[in-house]
Amino acid sequence: MMDRFEAARPYVGVFAIPPTPFLESGGVDDASLRRCLDFCVLASAHGIVMGVNASEAIALTDVERMRVAAITIEHVDHRVPVVIGVSGVSTASSVQFAAHARTSGADSVIAMPPYVRHPPGDEIFDFYAEVAAAAEGVPVWIQDYVGPVGTPMSIALMARIVNEIEGVDFIKEETAFAPQVITAVREAVGDRVRGVMGGMAGRYLMEEAYRGACGTMPACEVTDAHVAVWNAIEAGDEPEARRLHTLLLPLLNYEAMYSFTIYKEVLVRRGVIASATTRVPGAGRLDTANHRELDILLDDLAPLLTLGLRPDF
Amino acid sequence: MMDRFEAARPYVGVFAIPPTPFLESGGVDDASLRRCLDFCVLASAHGIVMGVNASEAIALTDVERMRVAAITIEHVDHRVPVVIGVSGVSTASSVQFAAHARTSGADSVIAMPPYVRHPPGDEIFDFYAEVAAAAEGVPVWIQDYVGPVGTPMSIALMARIVNEIEGVDFIKEETAFAPQVITAVREAVGDRVRGVMGGMAGRYLMEEAYRGACGTMPACEVTDAHVAVWNAIEAGDEPEARRLHTLLLPLLNYEAMYSFTIYKEVLVRRGVIASATTRVPGAGRLDTANHRELDILLDDLAPLLTLGLRPDF
Amino acid sequence: MMDRFEAARPYVGVFAIPPTPFLESGGVDDASLRRCLDFCVLASAHGIVMGVNASEAIALTDVERMRVAAITIEHVDHRVPVVIGVSGVSTASSVQFAAHARTSGADSVIAMPPYVRHPPGDEIFDFYAEVAAAAEGVPVWIQDYVGPVGTPMSIALMARIVNEIEGVDFIKEETAFAPQVITAVREAVGDRVRGVMGGMAGRYLMEEAYRGACGTMPACEVTDAHVAVWNAIEAGDEPEARRLHTLLLPLLNYEAMYSFTIYKEVLVRRGVIASATTRVPGAGRLDTANHRELDILLDDLAPLLTLGLRPDF
Amino acid sequence: MMDRFEAARPYVGVFAIPPTPFLESGGVDDASLRRCLDFCVLASAHGIVMGVNASEAIALTDVERMRVAAITIEHVDHRVPVVIGVSGVSTASSVQFAAHARTSGADSVIAMPPYVRHPPGDEIFDFYAEVAAAAEGVPVWIQDYVGPVGTPMSIALMARIVNEIEGVDFIKEETAFAPQVITAVREAVGDRVRGVMGGMAGRYLMEEAYRGACGTMPACEVTDAHVAVWNAIEAGDEPEARRLHTLLLPLLNYEAMYSFTIYKEVLVRRGVIASATTRVPGAGRLDTANHRELDILLDDLAPLLTLGLRPDF
């Protein structure tokens, strides 16, 4: 039987994004990080993405960014592919991260254009050329993401980047009408792109998969549930995939509002990381009513958490 | 038995927002509008909100805005309360709409601060004072909404407006962490606010209701389903409300991406309006894959559409 | 001698933008408006632009917008060309204004794309096509302006609009690096564009003129001074033009900070309009130190105000 | 005679901001940096500010940021006070920079709140508390700056920060209506703030000085001219100060459009740095017409460049 994702392998399925776990005192909690990586692998993530938006990468110092990347690559130790986020404040910043990721052994790297001041189209092209050069053959992902942190790109620009820059082989798409963009960009570049994944926590995965997405990159706290959905998709059982996805949706919907704080609180409750402390400015804090809501959402989701609500590992 | 929403009556429950239906040629389709209002009433909406974001009010001319408001008030004819959106490009604009709504017989009016250039806090206070004066006793709702169209307000500012301006009695809250804001603003103003409703298509209704929201204002295309959820909430049957809300969520999630185009397409499919034409800039268009997805979503939702997928009225 | 602006005539020189004067009570002050139009003509403005950003058009009701346009056209009575601003909240809104401007006798119309929600490129093209259709042969200006009110366009898009839509003949350019854009767009469209004017209060007029701009559209309060600069430019006396422009710059610089409030205060001081009342949200108010500064700036500028600081007309 | 700036000393006058000079190949050009620092001192700058917006600090890697700061402090070697910019992507990032600046011997540090995601008011307060703690007694400046890089603060918030956090002693103000904010914040905090400086390239210095500003922080390329203006201000000769400021204004106005590219091109022409290469995304490039314009602007400014157009040092 033909594998419709053959070109994309091994970048197919659920590429889970662990958070950067922090100590109550503010620094990175290495032990929780390692434990979280094991959790992702144990939950059958098809890959791991570290150092992107859901991991609060924009709030780390450069040294922290690179340490977290190195620990991730070393600790995962090729059990699954690792994609390292190399977005930065400038091309020089991303080049630094891409070179570090490469020498640290990353399987591929993913980047948005610089995110403090946003570059125009021709500078975006040059940006990806320099990142690809620094990656020296390690495949590069374009991340097309909404502002103010992302820089949405036109179909024409993404096609030009993929067509003209050796090494830019994948796209993660999460701008307005993302599923339509997935269709449009695949039509525009054809076989030149090895794969396109969706984002947005996987809330639109059913449609994205139908449109040819080779996977999704959600935050990792319920990786086991995401994997169950994907496996049904890949098995060609759309009704079952939809049934599972609908069970997952209430939590994803809740995360669309509270994001980081929920990602981490769920991981604390599941015994994976030690603290739900966040660092991104404006991330908010959960109050009593939030905790009550989360109790209910997790109870309802329990059947999908194949590792158990609180896995013993 | 005590009615915990007593102060808010009759502004309790699902206040449905009809779209502004357009002819293919671009003008307002009055016949579809009237039919859509009947649909809302038939679907047991507790009230109707016209001339706000989900109705593409920002894209109408002033004359269209006022005609649509007048038709709505006249056609609903007190079957349920009507809230008229009076947000505008300046205080003078909103004052014009508020005076018109009052003389046309609106039950209450709702306004965001001016939305082209955004006023600072002291001007926002003056804005609501002038709108309330123009409304001459018709109750005024504050709409606290995210940018770029909305102007998020601090708890302190909303409390000051409610406390000091006679006639500003209600709040519709839909900014970042909206459920938490509902809690905070209710604590800050106490009995001075008659009621706070949620927005965001009702996606967070379960938590908002728990925090004391007296209702929600969603787009109207599945009003029957929203009403089923609310009735279970008001009956005190939270598990049933959640069960129904989870059935509704896949469509709401889809609308979070495609908004206007889906609101209208669903109404076309249900035989309520004649055309799914939209006018707001950047609203997008549905493609084949969208239509396939919507087929599935509506099939799954059918049990909740108490009027039937295609009601005969 | 060849006239390098031949194609652009009569759209050459200083096209002054009168404010919309308001009564203290808030409505439009028709008497001040007519007096201000006379002032512009008396100050030798080469044309008048009404209903744009510097006239606070975004804060008027539709009825006010059209009344102000009609009064302007009627009162100027062909003494100089009148350009009417027809930007609006949607294509339908701009079409309404364009049709009204045409039937009222406007010489040309100018439009930014819709400014509440911003359209993508293909919708911008359709927007100008519909505006041009409504203008029925009255020449149309593209206004390329910065956000959040403007929608900056690519060179390619502006060229496509000018090349493919009959009637779109002029551009007003005021986005980032505007002078460079003037060069680029003129190279891209060649003779198809009859003229490109600068904006930004004329602060970059010397460079814009060198790059081929056929004029500038500043607020009108010191039209006599702007005209003196332009006349020196057109006479080919660049050193004199620069000398005069440098004398004008301190006031223009001050207006870059305080805009509307200064435009109007200067006109009040010059005896042209009755009140400096503004309406655009967040326009601010002048305090004692501002008035002191303005005293000094106007004293310094007096030699350039050929009508006198307080003309008797 | 009383010194009205006594409390602010030595933070009085022109605190010049050198660029970060880059090699054509992209890295930091240390030799040009040292030469530029000498230039600032030679031009009689009253102080030097390094690592802020005009120095493209947002585009440096953390290692580069700290190296540039250390070189600056070491090379200036107490000839004038050095203020180090410690704004960053998060509190942790700014704490890192503040601690490094302190141990490197900075005289004071200046920070905007985090600039990728923007914190709400209570987090801004905590941010300055943590920066001040990391600075361990080295005075801290609040930088109140416009978005998208800055996070404009209310008067009440700035007053609370200055009043309650030990060590936050100065403010640099450059948001909308900045001169009015200077008046308001000085009234709100009284003697608790040692000094408030203006920014915006010094374009509003005359009014800011009248309102009590103790200086200004412009880019450094014509420091000699800025110092001439300030010295006249401090000598109480307002007419002379205004005369000089007006001579300076055409270049400042030009920089308001082209910023980084002009700062650096002027320094290249004056023989101070080797290359005008910039790094901030979207900084643009100068074309032939820009160079012609700059030729003229610098010729006109020559009388004010007390070091000469091309100083020999």
Side-chain angles (χ1 to χ4, degrees), chain C residues 239-309:
Chain C
E240 175 65 2
R242 286 186 177 274
R243 190 187 66 80
L244 298 171
H245 190 260
T246 297
L247 285 171
L248 182 51
L249 200 48
L251 182 68
L252 301 187
N253 178 60
Y254 204 58
E255 292 178 352
M257 168 79 71
Y258 295 106
S259 64
F260 308 107
T261 53
I262 297 292
Y263 305 157
K264 289 191 159 172
E265 176 61 22
V266 172
L267 287 168
V268 168
R269 289 182 178 210
R270 298 191 77 179
V272 178
I273 66 174
S275 163
T277 304
T278 57
R279 189 189 281 182
V280 164
R285 288 186 191 80
L286 304 180
D287 66 15
T288 311
N290 292 130
H291 281 285
R292 176 189 185 272
E293 183 74 17
L294 190 54
D295 289 344
I296 298 169
L297 291 173
L298 286 177
D299 276 355
D300 289 351
L301 186 61
L304 226 69
L305 302 177
T306 56
L307 287 187
L309 190 49

Side-chain angles (χ1 to χ4, degrees), chain C residues 34-310:
Chain C
R34 289 195 177 89
R35 195 170 162 79
C36 193
L37 295 165
D38 288 337
F39 166 80
C40 291
V41 174
L42 195 66
S44 303
H46 302 94
I48 284 173
V49 188
M50 177 49 91
V52 291
N53 292 315
S55 25
E56 300 185 81
I58 57 158
L60 300 191
T61 65
D62 288 3
V63 166
E64 288 173 333
R65 279 280 290 273
M66 291 187 277
R67 270 195 70 248
V68 166
I71 291 174
T72 298
I73 293 164
E74 182 196 27
H75 192 72
V76 172
D77 193 22
H78 304 291
R79 289 179 285 175
V80 294
V82 170
V83 186
I84 295 295
V86 300
S87 303
V89 295
S90 64
T91 300
S93 170
S94 286
V95 162
Q96 168 192 233
F97 293 141
H100 175 268
R102 175 184 51 78
T103 58
S104 303
D107 295 293
S108 62
V109 297
I110 184 168
M112 302 179 290
Y115 45 62
V116 184
R117 295 281 185 189
H118 294 269
D122 56 337
E123 291 185 23
I124 291 174
F125 182 87
D126 294 343
F127 168 80
Y128 281 106
E130 293 205 36
V131 168
E136 289 188 14
V138 170
V140 175
W141 293 70
I142 294 172
Q143 182 175 8
D144 190 32
Y145 188 56
V146 290
V149 175
T151 309
M153 298 171 232
S154 67
I155 302 293
L157 176 58
M158 287 194 283
R160 192 184 150 221
I161 293 168
V162 168
N163 283 327
E164 300 184 20
I165 304 175
E166 188 77 22
V168 181
D169 293 339
F170 295 94
I171 296 172
K172 182 189 186 189
E173 170 54 44
E174 41 187 350
T175 63
F177 312 138
Q180 295 182 348
V181 177
I182 290 177
T183 296
V185 79
R186 291 183 76 242
E187 286 174 0
V189 295
D191 292 344
R192 257 306 282 120
V193 74
R194 288 181 52 195
V196 182
M197 284 202 188
M200 296 181 169
R203 289 196 302 280
Y204 301 96
L205 178 57
M206 295 312 306
E207 179 176 345
E208 290 163 348
Y210 178 77
R211 290 175 183 269
C214 62
T216 185
M217 295 184 175
C220 80
E221 65 288 342
V222 291
T223 293
D224 34 3
H226 284 285
V227 168
V229 176
W230 179 261
N231 286 347
I233 289 173
E234 207 172 333
D237 189 351
E238 184 176 340
E240 175 65 2
R242 286 186 177 274
R243 190 187 66 80
L244 298 171
H245 190 260
T246 297
L247 285 171
L248 182 51
L249 200 48
L251 182 68
L252 301 187
N253 178 60
Y254 204 58
E255 292 178 352
M257 168 79 71
Y258 295 106
S259 64
F260 308 107
T261 53
I262 297 292
Y263 305 157
K264 289 191 159 172
E265 176 61 22
V266 172
L267 287 168
V268 168
R269 289 182 178 210
R270 298 191 77 179
V272 178
I273 66 174
S275 163
T277 304
T278 57
R279 189 189 281 182
V280 164
R285 288 186 191 80
L286 304 180
D287 66 15
T288 311
N290 292 130
H291 281 285
R292 176 189 185 272
E293 183 74 17
L294 190 54
D295 289 344
I296 298 169
L297 291 173
L298 286 177
D299 276 355
D300 289 351
L301 186 61
L304 226 69
L305 302 177
T306 56
L307 287 187
L309 190 49
R310 197 176 172 90

Side-chain angles (χ1 to χ4, degrees), chain D residues 19 36 39 219-225 248 250-252 254-255 258-277 286 290-291 293-295 297-299 301 305 308-311:
Chain D
C36 192
F39 166 80
C220 81
E221 65 287 343
V222 290
T223 294
D224 33 3
L248 182 50
L251 182 68
L252 301 188
Y254 204 59
E255 293 178 351
Y258 296 104
S259 64
F260 308 108
T261 52
I262 297 292
Y263 306 156
K264 287 190 160 173
E265 175 62 22
V266 172
L267 287 168
V268 168
R269 290 182 179 210
R270 299 191 77 179
V272 179
I273 66 176
S275 163
T277 304
L286 304 180
N290 292 131
H291 281 286
E293 183 73 17
L294 191 54
D295 290 343
L297 291 173
L298 286 178
D299 277 354
L301 188 61
L305 301 177
L309 191 50
R310 197 175 171 92

Side-chain angles (χ1 to χ4, degrees), chain A residues 177-180 200 203-204 206-207 210-211 238 242 246 249-250 253-254 256-258 282-287 289-290 292-293 296, chain B residues 177-180 200 203-204 206-207 210-211 238 242 246 249-250 253-254 256-258 282-287 289-290 292-293 296:
Chain A
F177 312 138
Q180 294 182 348
M200 297 182 168
R203 288 196 302 282
Y204 302 97
M206 293 313 306
E207 181 175 345
Y210 178 76
R211 289 173 182 272
E238 184 176 340
R242 286 185 178 272
T246 297
L249 200 49
N253 178 60
Y254 204 59
M257 169 78 71
Y258 296 105
R285 287 186 192 82
L286 303 181
D287 65 16
N290 292 131
R292 176 188 184 274
E293 184 74 16
I296 298 169
Chain B
F177 311 139
Q180 295 182 347
M200 296 181 167
R203 288 196 302 283
Y204 302 96
M206 293 314 304
E207 179 175 346
Y210 179 76
R211 289 173 183 273
E238 185 176 340
R242 286 185 177 273
T246 297
L249 201 48
N253 178 60
Y254 204 58
M257 167 81 69
Y258 295 105
R285 287 185 191 82
L286 304 181
D287 65 14
N290 293 132
R292 176 189 185 273
E293 182 75 16
I296 299 169

Side-chain angles (χ1 to χ4, degrees), chain D residues 1-17:
Chain D
M1 171 184 153
M2 200 201 67
D3 176 3
R4 64 184 170 120
F5 297 126
E6 188 176 356
R9 300 274 172 208
Y11 298 99
V12 175
V14 176
F15 274 59
I17 307 172

Side-chain angles (χ1 to χ4, degrees), chain A residues 44-97:
Chain A
S44 303
H46 303 93
I48 283 173
V49 188
M50 179 47 93
V52 290
N53 292 313
S55 28
E56 300 183 80
I58 59 160
L60 300 191
T61 66
D62 288 2
V63 165
E64 288 173 334
R65 280 279 290 272
M66 291 186 279
R67 270 195 69 249
V68 166
I71 290 172
T72 299
I73 294 163
E74 183 196 25
H75 192 71
V76 172
D77 194 22
H78 304 290
R79 288 179 286 174
V80 294
V82 170
V83 186
I84 295 295
V86 299
S87 304
V89 295
S90 63
T91 299
S93 170
S94 285
V95 162
Q96 170 193 231
F97 294 140

Side-chain angles (χ1 to χ4, degrees), chain A residues 14 54 61 88 141 161 207 214 228 230-231 246 265 270 289 302 304:
Chain A
V14 176
T61 66
W141 293 69
I161 293 168
E207 181 175 345
C214 61
W230 179 262
N231 286 348
T246 297
E265 176 62 22
R270 299 190 77 179
L304 227 69

